[in-house]
Amino acid sequence: MTYSGGRMLLSSQREGQVSRFRVWVTILVPLLAILFQIYVPLFFPVLNFLEMPLLVVVYLALMRRNPVSGLLMGAAVGLAQDSWSKNPLGMFGITKTLVGYFAASVGMKLDVDNVLMRFILAYFFYVFHQAFYWVMERALLSHMSPFDITGWLGLGVLNALVGVGLFHFLDKLRVTA
Amino acid sequence: MESFLNRYKNITVLLLVIFAQLLLLAVQVKNEQDVRFIRVWAVTAVSPFARLVEGVRGAGFSFVRNYITLHDADAENRRLKADNAQLKLDKVFLENQLNTADRAKALELFQQQTKSKTIAATVISMGLGSSRKSVYLDRGSVAGVMREMAVLTPDGIVGKVTDVYPTASEVLLITDPTFAAGVVTGKGHVHGTLKGTGTPLCKVDFVAFEDKVEPGDLFYTSGDDRIFPRGLPVGVVKSVHPAQPYKEITLDPSGMSHGGLEDVLIVVEGVHQEIPDTPPPNQQVYLGPPLPPAAPVPGALTNPDGTPIPDPAHPTPGTEADRVHTLYQKSAEGSGVVLGGGPTGLTWTPKPPDFTKLPVDPRSANPGRGTPAAAPPPRKSTAPAPETKGTGSQELKPDAVRHANQAAGPGGGHNLP
């Protein structure tokens, strides 16, 4: 099975191959990502910028190319992340639901095996995730947090770089035909 | 429908999941007023529909009530008409109450102004009989009312008490044909006798042809009758017809001119007062202060009690009885008889006076006036003579004076005021 060719756009949906994962992978990987997001920054604050659950949701949605499964995966990961945080339930849930839906929708049109495409998508969805969460905070929680677009753009690059490596690692967990 | 759901399955599931999580958020999050968003959103979402439903319901009920079922309007119209009629009745009743209060106030004011002692009474019924003009008052002998007491209102005299019962009394009105009272005009001091005619108008008799009385002149009580104190208004001359030997004068009694007779005053102790020369404005009754006692003239004749006897040479105002009394007193001087000096009014001496040789009254010596006894009474009395009792008071106690006069007989020891 070959990955990433010279094209980024698929001529038809048939060209895109739906990746399959074992059940324990779809459960354990997001769970580990959430645990990483919760505990690792406690010991390594410098890694606080990483949004591992978001990267996992983007990867699984892109690879499975199913919007429903993508939004459900995003909702489940987001609600689990909310339950371990101080946020009201639904803040990360709604945001990651939209990310999973859009990622799955985009994955049907793009060659998600391309490294550059993965970098761009990881970067875009990180910025989208941060911006939408900022909107949710202002609208629902009345938290006047700053609109740090430059910080989001900069951290988006770092997350995209980490995401490309993570995606390469997660590719090894796919079920081969 | 199935194809529609299949076509939009992804977006439908997305919206459902987003909506479910929004509800979850709304349950947890509160707004600035510490109200959960789920409540705010629910109320905000429901209130427009509730307002719309309520508007439709209110408009429907209003339309049905105002345009479809009008039976309430008819019933309400009848009720309002009944209320209006009741309010009109209440208004009339209150106006009557106000008029009664005004009359009571006028009586109270008149009682305060007049020197005569009066008691208020209310007319309780009209007298029986078609020709007799009388009324019954709610005051009787228990209240101190006696026969022949004057009855009046602030506008004028009304009548006199003819019968007294314990709790009521009958008053003969001045319009009764049998009624009579001495009256005098205010302008020319022309004396006459008021008589009833059985009609609302009265007449004044015994006014000589040459006396000047004109329509509009006011008549007052003269006090000659010993019933009505002098100076009370009687009425206004309505018409004057020349006749021989007396004028035919029609009088409109002022005491009975203001509507029905309801509240009156009974004079229990009369005080004579001035007769005004000019009619008071608005026909109101003015009662002046009581007359001061006349100062004695040096050398003038006096009664045994010290009161002066009018000198014929310097005639003082008074009634004809005063002048007759003076003439007789002068005639009796030589015999030592003092008229009115004894307890019975006359003290006889062994030589009785000769009353056939009376002195000549200088006022009756005018040609064409006849004998002194036949002399006409003076038409003008500028000042009343003081009472011979020497009390200096102008008050008359009608019953006591009458009884004394009856006991003294003719020419009794009281000068007429």
Side-chain angles (χ1 to χ4, degrees), chain A residues 67-68 71 75 79 88-91 93-94 97-98 101 136 140-142, chain B residues 9-11 13-14 17-18 21-22 24-25 28-32 37 41:
Chain A
V68 173
L71 71 91
L79 290 175
L89 291 175
M91 292 293 291
I94 293 174
T97 299
L98 290 174
Y101 178 79
M136 293 273 289
L140 297 179
L141 304 183
S142 301
Chain B
K9 182 182 65 177
N10 295 339
I11 191 69
V13 173
L14 173 67
V17 172
I18 295 292
Q21 293 184 88
L22 274 176
L24 186 63
L25 266 175
Q28 306 166 74
V29 181
K30 296 179 180 179
N31 63 1
E32 292 83 355
F37 272 109
W41 293 348

Side-chain angles (χ1 to χ4, degrees), chain B residues 122-173:
Chain B
T122 302
V123 175
I124 55 177
S125 69
M126 303 299 292
L128 297 176
S130 58
S131 60
R132 186 173 174 82
K133 303 294 182 183
S134 63
V135 294
Y136 284 87
L137 306 182
D138 64 344
R139 298 285 186 147
S141 58
V142 175
V145 180
M146 290 184 287
R147 293 182 64 236
E148 303 300 319
M149 281 185 171
V151 179
L152 51 92
T153 66
D155 297 322
I157 63 172
V158 171
K160 64 180 180 182
V161 178
T162 55
D163 292 297
V164 180
Y165 309 98
T167 57
S169 55
E170 184 178 6
V171 175
L172 184 69
L173 299 178

Side-chain angles (χ1 to χ4, degrees), chain A residues 24-63:
Chain A
W24 64 269
V25 173
T26 58
I27 296 174
L28 187 60
V29 170
L31 185 59
L32 290 176
I34 294 170
L35 292 177
F36 179 89
Q37 186 69 29
I38 294 171
Y39 292 107
V40 171
L42 293 178
F43 304 102
F44 304 99
V46 69
L47 299 177
N48 196 26
F49 69 93
L50 283 176
E51 186 62 42
M52 292 299 286
L54 173 66
L55 296 176
V56 170
V57 168
V58 169
Y59 175 78
L60 292 177
L62 288 174
M63 293 297 110

Side-chain angles (χ1 to χ4, degrees), chain B residues 23-163:
Chain B
L23 288 181
L24 186 63
L25 266 175
V27 170
Q28 306 166 74
V29 181
K30 296 179 180 179
N31 63 1
E32 292 83 355
Q33 286 79 31
D34 200 26
V35 180
R36 294 186 186 280
F37 272 109
I38 185 66
R39 183 176 295 276
V40 175
W41 293 348
V43 172
T44 305
V46 170
S47 58
F49 296 101
R51 190 161 50 243
L52 177 65
V53 171
E54 176 60 23
V56 172
R57 188 197 66 81
F61 274 97
S62 177
F63 177 78
V64 171
R65 186 172 60 250
N66 294 331
Y67 298 99
I68 304 300
T69 59
L70 291 175
H71 61 279
D72 286 346
D74 184 44
E76 186 177 14
N77 190 33
R78 286 197 300 270
R79 183 176 57 78
L80 289 175
K81 282 183 177 179
D83 290 347
N84 192 27
Q86 183 62 41
L87 288 175
K88 286 181 178 178
L89 289 177
D90 292 345
K91 178 174 178 290
V92 172
F93 172 74
L94 291 176
E95 286 177 349
N96 289 335
Q97 293 290 97
L98 193 60
N99 291 335
T100 302
D102 289 343
R103 284 196 300 271
K105 187 176 180 181
L107 283 179
E108 183 181 358
L109 185 63
F110 181 78
Q111 276 186 305
Q112 293 173 356
Q113 291 178 348
T114 184
K115 296 296 182 183
S116 300
K117 184 179 179 183
T118 59
I119 57 174
T122 302
V123 175
I124 55 177
S125 69
M126 303 299 292
L128 297 176
S130 58
S131 60
R132 186 173 174 82
K133 303 294 182 183
S134 63
V135 294
Y136 284 87
L137 306 182
D138 64 344
R139 298 285 186 147
S141 58
V142 175
V145 180
M146 290 184 287
R147 293 182 64 236
E148 303 300 319
M149 281 185 171
V151 179
L152 51 92
T153 66
D155 297 322
I157 63 172
V158 171
K160 64 180 180 182
V161 178
T162 55
D163 292 297

Side-chain angles (χ1 to χ4, degrees), chain B residues 184 189 191 222 224 230 274-275 291-295 297 308-326 361 363 376-388 394 415-417:
Chain B
V184 60
H189 290 258
H191 284 252
S222 64
D224 298 339
R230 183 172 53 205
E274 289 279 4
I275 297 175
L291 292 174
V297 179
I309 297 175
D311 185 0
H314 302 86
T316 56
T319 64
E320 186 171 357
D322 295 333
R323 287 186 291 276
V324 172
H325 180 270
T326 303
D361 187 350
R363 286 171 296 180
R379 299 305 180 190
K380 296 181 179 178
S381 58
T382 55
E387 285 200 2
T388 57
Q394 297 295 316
N415 278 344
L416 293 175

Side-chain angles (χ1 to χ4, degrees), chain A residues 10-137:
Chain A
L10 298 178
S11 59
S12 68
Q13 194 169 354
R14 289 180 182 272
E15 293 185 47
Q17 186 176 5
V18 175
S19 300
R20 297 183 184 277
F21 298 91
R22 289 185 174 84
V23 177
W24 64 269
V25 173
T26 58
I27 296 174
L28 187 60
V29 170
L31 185 59
L32 290 176
I34 294 170
L35 292 177
F36 179 89
Q37 186 69 29
I38 294 171
Y39 292 107
V40 171
L42 293 178
F43 304 102
F44 304 99
V46 69
L47 299 177
N48 196 26
F49 69 93
L50 283 176
E51 186 62 42
M52 292 299 286
L54 173 66
L55 296 176
V56 170
V57 168
V58 169
Y59 175 78
L60 292 177
L62 288 174
M63 293 297 110
R64 298 176 73 169
R65 290 188 177 90
N66 188 333
V68 173
S69 62
L71 71 91
L72 291 178
M73 176 61 69
V77 172
L79 290 175
Q81 192 176 353
D82 285 328
S83 64
W84 267 296
S85 68
K86 295 179 181 179
N87 290 332
L89 291 175
M91 292 293 291
F92 281 119
I94 293 174
T95 306
K96 285 184 168 57
T97 299
L98 290 174
V99 170
Y101 178 79
F102 291 132
S105 300
V106 170
M108 292 189 296
K109 302 290 183 183
L110 300 177
D111 181 8
V112 295
D113 292 332
N114 188 285
V115 175
L116 180 59
M117 181 56 63
R118 287 181 171 183
F119 179 85
I120 293 173
L121 288 175
Y123 180 82
F124 170 77
F125 281 116
Y126 176 82
V127 175
F128 173 80
H129 177 274
Q130 296 301 106
F132 195 82
Y133 189 85
W134 180 83
V135 172
M136 293 273 289
E137 273 190 319

Side-chain angles (χ1 to χ4, degrees), chain B residues 116-319:
Chain B
S116 300
K117 184 179 179 183
T118 59
I119 57 174
T122 302
V123 175
I124 55 177
S125 69
M126 303 299 292
L128 297 176
S130 58
S131 60
R132 186 173 174 82
K133 303 294 182 183
S134 63
V135 294
Y136 284 87
L137 306 182
D138 64 344
R139 298 285 186 147
S141 58
V142 175
V145 180
M146 290 184 287
R147 293 182 64 236
E148 303 300 319
M149 281 185 171
V151 179
L152 51 92
T153 66
D155 297 322
I157 63 172
V158 171
K160 64 180 180 182
V161 178
T162 55
D163 292 297
V164 180
Y165 309 98
T167 57
S169 55
E170 184 178 6
V171 175
L172 184 69
L173 299 178
I174 61 176
T175 53
D176 189 90
T178 63
F179 182 88
V183 294
V184 60
T185 60
K187 193 185 322 182
H189 290 258
V190 177
H191 284 252
T193 300
L194 175 74
K195 289 185 177 179
T197 60
T199 66
L201 299 178
C202 300
K203 65 179 180 179
V204 179
D205 279 347
F206 307 119
V207 175
F209 175 76
E210 62 272 20
D211 289 330
K212 186 177 182 182
V213 177
E214 296 176 346
D217 286 353
L218 290 176
F219 268 97
Y220 297 87
T221 54
S222 64
D224 298 339
D225 49 42
R226 298 298 183 94
I227 295 175
F228 295 96
R230 183 172 53 205
L232 297 175
V234 175
V236 183
V237 175
K238 191 174 183 67
S239 63
V240 179
H241 298 290
Q244 290 290 350
Y246 302 112
K247 291 177 179 291
E248 294 178 357
I249 300 174
T250 305
L251 192 73
D252 186 9
S254 58
M256 305 177 67
S257 59
H258 288 174
L261 196 60
E262 293 185 6
D263 299 309
V264 297
L265 294 173
I266 303 173
V267 180
V268 295
E269 287 184 15
V271 176
H272 295 293
Q273 302 175 70
E274 289 279 4
I275 297 175
D277 290 336
T278 57
N282 298 329
Q283 301 296 322
Q284 292 181 347
V285 176
Y286 171 74
L287 298 176
L291 292 174
V297 179
L301 297 175
T302 59
N303 284 323
D305 56 2
T307 56
I309 297 175
D311 185 0
H314 302 86
T316 56
T319 64

